[in-house]
Amino acid sequence: MKRNMTLTVLTVAVLSMGTQAMKAQELLPQPKKAIFGKGTFNPKRGVITMEKIHDAGHGKEHYKLHITPDTMRVLYADSTGLFYATQTISQLRKGELLPTCDIEDWPSYEWRGCMIDVSRHFFPLSFLKKQVNVLSHYKVNRLHLHLTDAGGWRLQIDRYPELTKKAAWRTESDWTKWWIDNDRRYMQEGDPEAYGGYYTKAEMRELVAYAAQKGITVVPEIEMPGHSEELTAAIPELKCEGNAEAQGDVCPSNENTYATLHNILDEVMEVFPSKWIHIGGDEAGKGSWAKCPTCQRKARLLGLRSTADLQGYLIQRIAAYLRLEGREAIGWDEVLDDSLSTYAPSLGDNVNVMVWRDIKAARRAMSRGHNVILSPGDYYLDRYQDAPPTEPFAGGSYQPLRNLWTFDPAPYRADGLEGKVLGVQGNLWTEYIKTEDYAEYMLYPRELAIAEVGWSGRSRSYEELSQAVVAQYPWLTTAQHVNAFDIRREKGDRKEKLKPVRHKAVGAKVTYHQPYSPSYVGQGDGTLTDGMCGGWSYGDGRWQGFMQRRDTTKAPFDITIDLGEVRRFSTVSLDFMQSDGAWVFYPSRVNISVSNDGEHFVPIYNKEYARERLKVVGTRTVTTTSKKKNQARFIRITAHEEHPGEWVFTDEVKVY
Ligand code: ACM
Ligand code: ZN
């Protein structure tokens, strides 16, 4: 009975949908419950009351709004709930007036995060405060600052002044030039050539207090044991024995490493009251550990399988230290990799896992008792959000708002596991993002979609989400001067992807002489002859990836296509993708040959290419051109890369 009544009220609201009722769709994030009436309320004339309500099980962010033509009641569980009520009111407001409505709202996830990498490029305090204004308007509640990561150490640490006198400044602003072409050197603060910067403790305290007023916890990240170039540059004793050259890993077997990290974390905790302290943990190289006598001895003493497992040992010790101080560590999902079974069975209690590489790791982590934050590749905001040829250079593949919206965290929220999903987070990596304008362009509107998922779940269609996003532009761009990307002028995916191609090899069997990567299978064995071309993203299921292996110089891409019988054809054509930031390159050499019997092949194409560096993601078409028609049943194609670790990606072999 009660349920039917609710339905009746909803139906009435929808049937009487005037201009006011449209606003429910425009709100972002969408409230849990919202029913709109016909009239309006004028805050200048009507009665406004605010009441604190007891926690109804929805936490301190819970709020209710009851707006009639004469009164507005705001009910809130805590100051954060009150703040969120005011943000919703600000979205509801059209000029002077508010629509009459009943809204009740609370978040789906407790962690609704945004990470900004301030190490690869430094952004001033004013920029961070502006982002706090914007993010909090959309009920984001965690600002994760990636404060260290080779690009520069960004936090004043009194005990180790060299971290900011030297390791916060580099010789070159352009990331590729500094990281790849130059020697990754730091410079002294004050040198006219020095590029970089850092936040004083006073500045970070100011940010922490400012953000707290808007419901945002600032979560600092200090990277360890990898991505620690600044640390080893400022304090060279932290490098492994016998490894004098610059490197990214600290020695996990040197007691001095622990003393130093504890000292640094003490100062970090003094500035950041956050319950969570992020300790990185991702992508340690570990090469120097294998050669280090101290690490070898330590691994033996601890009974570890290898020196690589010292990562788990370090993470465990640091997490335990933070736990003693009443804090909790967060690490990227590599913290799951090492030595859990052999050394640190209780790691789960001490570390929250930020899952990024393979989202399936979330369940593994939760089954071991870790809480997780989901920040999948879909939420990497340094990727292109529109057709790469017309966009500024970006780090990785194509991730428009529409694709981002397909990621649904709900299935990971499984019952019965010891750990839980705390929430979701978008990550703005800034290797290629040098300006404040460009950072905002990449953040918005994509982070708004993540905010929506974190607050209300993924309960509306992409069309509804994009309508809500469009409704945000006046506030976002005009009122807040945010340089957001405008989805109304989106160019969209590669035109080749939009419709199937017809050619003579559609459905032909493909034999792989080298396997495609299990990470980039496309549609499996039929991918290259299914008549479907790929889009701007090599991970879109249409492209297939092949990596140049370290243990062989054989071509990573080596296939034979069987047309089933001898056919006449004039050209063989295929596209390769290049995405420099992702180590995906056009091949250095392509060979194509044909055969009637599958044994004796006659070359029809053989070309070498000089490596070019591309500023954007691109595709290159390789097409054979022979004057007379080929007559053959089998077509063999090989493609090489220059160096191990580089990738060949192709989507379709077209035969005409
Ligand atoms: C990461 O992207 N290395 C966390
Ligand atoms: Zn060592």
Side-chain angles (χ1 to χ4, degrees), residues 110 352 366 369-373 412-414 417-423:
E110 69 188 82
N352 301 285
M366 287 187 286
H370 301 274
N371 292 335
V372 302
I373 297 147
Y412 299 96
R413 235 181 164 176
L417 299 177
E418 217 184 309
K420 62 177 176 175
V421 177
L422 295 177

Side-chain angles (χ1 to χ4, degrees), residues 361-383:
R363 291 190 67 86
R364 195 154 46 89
M366 287 187 286
S367 69
R368 289 182 188 168
H370 301 274
N371 292 335
V372 302
I373 297 147
L374 304 174
S375 66
D378 309 76
Y379 286 0
Y380 270 38
L381 304 178
D382 54 336
R383 299 180 172 183

Side-chain angles (χ1 to χ4, degrees), residues 158-431:
D158 297 326
R159 189 161 178 145
Y160 304 106
E162 282 299 287
L163 285 171
T164 47
K165 274 197 185 142
K166 178 180 169 193
W169 306 92
R170 62 181 197 242
T171 53
E172 167 62 56
S173 63
D174 182 273
W175 180 259
T176 307
K177 283 191 193 146
W178 187 70
W179 189 250
I180 312 249
D181 301 343
N182 293 357
D183 46 8
R184 305 180 188 180
R185 271 188 314 105
Y186 300 104
M187 288 184 108
Q188 283 301 318
E189 179 177 16
D191 189 310
E193 304 278 296
Y195 174 81
Y198 61 90
Y199 307 108
T200 63
K201 287 181 168 177
E203 283 178 313
M204 280 294 104
R205 284 197 181 102
E206 185 181 328
L207 180 71
V208 164
Y210 186 78
Q213 283 174 359
K214 292 169 187 282
I216 292 186
T217 303
V218 181
V219 179
E221 179 183 355
I222 303 293
E223 280 269 22
M224 63 189 78
H227 286 281
S228 296
E229 280 86 349
E230 299 101 326
L231 258 179
T232 58
I235 314 167
E237 308 87 88
L238 302 187
K239 293 180 195 175
C240 272
E241 217 180 310
N243 284 270
E245 73 276 12
Q247 61 168 59
D249 297 348
V250 291
C251 177
S253 311
N254 179 348
E255 283 307 310
N256 192 11
T257 296
Y258 294 91
T260 308
L261 290 173
H262 292 171
N263 289 334
I264 290 171
L265 289 171
D266 283 350
E267 294 195 35
V268 168
M269 288 187 278
E270 190 193 296
V271 175
F272 297 92
S274 166
K275 176 173 126 187
W276 301 275
I277 305 290
H278 202 306
I279 57 171
D282 59 319
E283 300 182 310
K286 304 177 186 175
S288 61
W289 304 351
K291 290 182 238 152
C292 166
T294 319
C295 281
Q296 290 163 359
R297 212 174 313 120
K298 191 78 176 178
R300 222 173 20 248
L301 216 71
L302 292 168
L304 301 179
R305 286 162 304 190
S306 83
T307 50
D309 282 351
L310 287 164
Q311 153 127 348
Y313 172 73
L314 179 137
I315 296 290
Q316 165 71 353
R317 275 186 65 171
I318 298 294
Y321 184 75
L322 291 173
R323 174 68 73 180
L324 272 182
E325 301 292 323
R327 310 295 181 105
E328 288 184 25
I330 301 179
W332 298 105
D333 61 45
E334 284 91 336
V335 298
L336 292 170
D337 284 354
D338 305 301
S339 72
L340 274 166
S341 53
T342 50
Y343 178 73
S346 63
L347 191 59
D349 296 339
N350 291 326
V351 183
N352 301 285
V353 181
M354 200 166 259
V355 180
W356 70 284
R357 290 179 303 178
D358 177 2
I359 203 68
K360 292 196 272 308
R363 291 190 67 86
R364 195 154 46 89
M366 287 187 286
S367 69
R368 289 182 188 168
H370 301 274
N371 292 335
V372 302
I373 297 147
L374 304 174
S375 66
D378 309 76
Y379 286 0
Y380 270 38
L381 304 178
D382 54 336
R383 299 180 172 183
Y384 289 96
Q385 64 195 317
D386 200 2
T390 54
E391 288 296 292
F393 180 66
S397 58
Y398 175 63
Q399 191 60 263
L401 186 67
R402 180 185 287 278
N403 290 10
L404 181 155
W405 191 243
T406 59
F407 174 72
D408 186 359
Y412 299 96
R413 235 181 164 176
D415 294 331
L417 299 177
E418 217 184 309
K420 62 177 176 175
V421 177
L422 295 177
V424 292
Q425 178 170 296
N427 294 327
L428 184 70
W429 301 100
T430 60
E431 283 94 330

Side-chain angles (χ1 to χ4, degrees), residues 174 176 382-398 432 438 441-442 491 494 535-538 543 576-586 611-620:
D174 182 273
T176 307
D382 54 336
R383 299 180 172 183
Y384 289 96
Q385 64 195 317
D386 200 2
T390 54
E391 288 296 292
F393 180 66
S397 58
Y398 175 63
Y432 308 109
Y438 187 26
Y441 180 84
M442 298 303 260
K491 293 179 192 66
R494 191 167 168 253
W536 288 121
S537 169
Y538 56 78
W543 295 88
F576 294 100
M577 181 177 274
Q578 180 155 329
S579 176
D580 292 34
W583 235 234
V584 175
F585 293 105
Y586 296 147
R611 169 65 47 83
E612 299 165 50
R613 230 182 230 157
L614 292 191
K615 275 288 187 194
V616 295
V617 167
T619 58
R620 164 179 281 163

